[in-house]
């Protein structure tokens, strides 16, 4: 979703400055216009579970990867990956328990023990955030498919 708040704020300030004020009324100031924009837009960095893929969790979140993720908005309903602080569960019943999580440029480097079809395997998972695509990329894992995932919302 484009950030239209700045454009709306600029337009509101320009209209307020150009419009004649009725007698006795002060024109709306920039703060009032800004308040209207914020009210319409909701909290900055907010994510919407109504529209999967329109936003990522905030970049300054302690563990940005936490939540439900899927390859498409349709898959958010029934085939989402679930990531918690220390675990990943993929739709194919692969589950990975994180043994080490390290922030890395653009995301996280994670050592994990993954179980697939009853067998456990040590794995290294790289999670990277593609800001412009509003997606998280899963790379480097041998037990998981490489995938581009959109944010579906908070983990249930």
């Amino acid at each position: 979703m484009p950030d239209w708040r700045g454009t709306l704020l600029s337009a509101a300030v320009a209209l307020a400055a150009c419009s004649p004020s009725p007698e006795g009324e002060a024109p709306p100031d920039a703060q009032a216009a800004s308040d209207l924009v914020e009210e319409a837009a909701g909290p900055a960095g907010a994510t919407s579970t109504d529209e999967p893929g329109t936003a990522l969790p905030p970049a300054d979140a302690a563990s940005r990867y936490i939540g439900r993720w899927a390859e498409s908005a349709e898959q958010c309903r029934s085939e989402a990956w679930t990531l918690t602080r220390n675990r990943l569960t993929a739709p194919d019943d692969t589950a990975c328990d994180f043994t080490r999580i390290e922030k890395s440029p653009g995301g996280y480097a994670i050592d994990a023990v993954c179980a697939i079809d009853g067998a456990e395997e040590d794995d290294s998972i790289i999670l990277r955030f593609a800001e412009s695509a509003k997606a998280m990329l899963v790379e480097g894992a041998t037990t998981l498919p490489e995938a581009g995932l959109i944010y579906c919302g908070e983990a249930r």
Side-chain angles (χ1 to χ4, degrees):
M1 173 194 266
D3 187 5
W4 48 269
R5 288 181 258 174
T7 304
L8 184 60
L9 176 60
S10 297
V13 171
L15 285 174
C18 295
S19 301
S21 299
E23 288 287 331
E25 286 185 32
D29 63 5
Q31 183 59 47
S34 177
D35 291 345
L36 290 174
V37 170
E38 289 300 318
E39 185 178 312
T47 56
S48 171
T49 55
D50 294 333
E51 298 179 50
T54 60
L56 286 170
D60 60 355
S63 299
R64 191 176 189 195
Y65 57 85
I66 293 176
R68 292 176 40 258
W69 300 82
E71 292 185 45
S72 70
E74 296 78 37
Q75 289 180 340
C76 283
R77 292 182 198 89
S78 60
E79 298 178 54
W81 299 44
T82 301
L83 283 89
T84 63
R85 171 84 175 97
N86 295 307
R87 186 175 175 85
L88 174 154
T89 306
D92 65 358
D93 293 326
T94 300
C96 299
D97 291 311
F98 303 158
T99 57
R100 186 183 63 82
I101 304 163
E102 186 176 304
K103 281 197 168 193
S104 63
Y108 299 86
I110 300 172
D111 290 337
V113 176
C114 298
I116 185 167
D117 296 327
E120 288 189 348
E121 184 176 328
D122 289 338
D123 209 343
S124 295
I125 303 166
I126 298 169
L127 303 177
R128 298 211 188 286
F129 294 92
E131 302 295 334
S132 61
K134 295 185 177 31
M136 179 176 70
L137 307 175
V138 178
E139 304 170 317
T142 57
T143 55
L144 298 168
E146 290 198 356
L149 305 173
I150 60 170
Y151 185 66
C152 301
E154 294 179 4
R156 295 180 190 168

